Every structure is written in C-alpha cells, then in structure tokens.
Amino acid sequence: MRIKIKGEMTLTQLRQCIYEQFLEIEDRFCVRHARGVSIYLTPTDGHGEEVRCRDGRGDPVDTMFSDGPYPCAADSYDI
C-alpha cells in the first residue's frame, strides 16, 4: 500500500499526517501489522528548495536504517 502526501510541510506536520493515515488504514481496512516499510522524502529549506542531509564529515546521507522503536524496559520485565 502506498501513501502519498502532497505539499511542503514541517516534519511535525508530516509526522501527524502519517499518523492520521495509519489510523485510517487500521480503522478502514482492519490492518494491524506491516513489514518492509520504505519512506521517501525530499528535505527542503522551508521555501521549497531541496537540501542535502550530511553527516559530521560532510558526506551526503541518502539512506537511514531502523530496526524498530527503542525497546521499553518495562516490556523486558512484563510490567
């Protein structure tokens, strides 16, 4: 399933928009799990101009990887 979001917005607004789309997928289609999610975004300067993300050495960063959310200690102890 693809989610398309149009227009320039802050990351806070984008996060909220993605959250709302996930809620709709859950409610409308009864989807409770997903795997292999890829999110593509075009970073901008707030005026529509593209910017490049760079690491501490100045090298461009095109991909970030995640193994999922930070684990909660309470989950480890069944609290």
Side-chain angles (χ1 to χ4, degrees), residues 5-23:
I5 302 168
K6 296 180 180 182
E8 183 178 33
M9 61 190 76
T10 66
L11 288 182
T12 301
Q13 292 168 325
L14 180 58
R15 181 173 43 246
Q16 182 64 33
C17 191
I18 291 170
Y19 177 75
E20 290 170 3
Q21 292 298 307
F22 283 174
L23 287 177

Side-chain angles (χ1 to χ4, degrees), residues 54-60:
R54 298 186 179 277
D55 64 14
R57 296 179 303 202
D59 295 329

Side-chain angles (χ1 to χ4, degrees), residues 2-54:
R2 184 184 320 192
I3 298 171
K4 286 187 157 189
I5 302 168
K6 296 180 180 182
E8 183 178 33
M9 61 190 76
T10 66
L11 288 182
T12 301
Q13 292 168 325
L14 180 58
R15 181 173 43 246
Q16 182 64 33
C17 191
I18 291 170
Y19 177 75
E20 290 170 3
Q21 292 298 307
F22 283 174
L23 287 177
E24 183 173 350
I25 290 170
E26 283 182 319
D27 292 344
R28 187 171 171 193
F29 304 111
C30 298
V31 172
R32 299 292 182 256
H33 299 86
R35 63 182 165 97
V37 176
S38 296
I39 298 175
Y40 297 89
L41 62 90
T42 304
T44 63
D45 64 0
H47 301 288
E49 297 295 322
E50 280 188 42
V51 296
R52 294 290 308 256
C53 295
R54 298 186 179 277

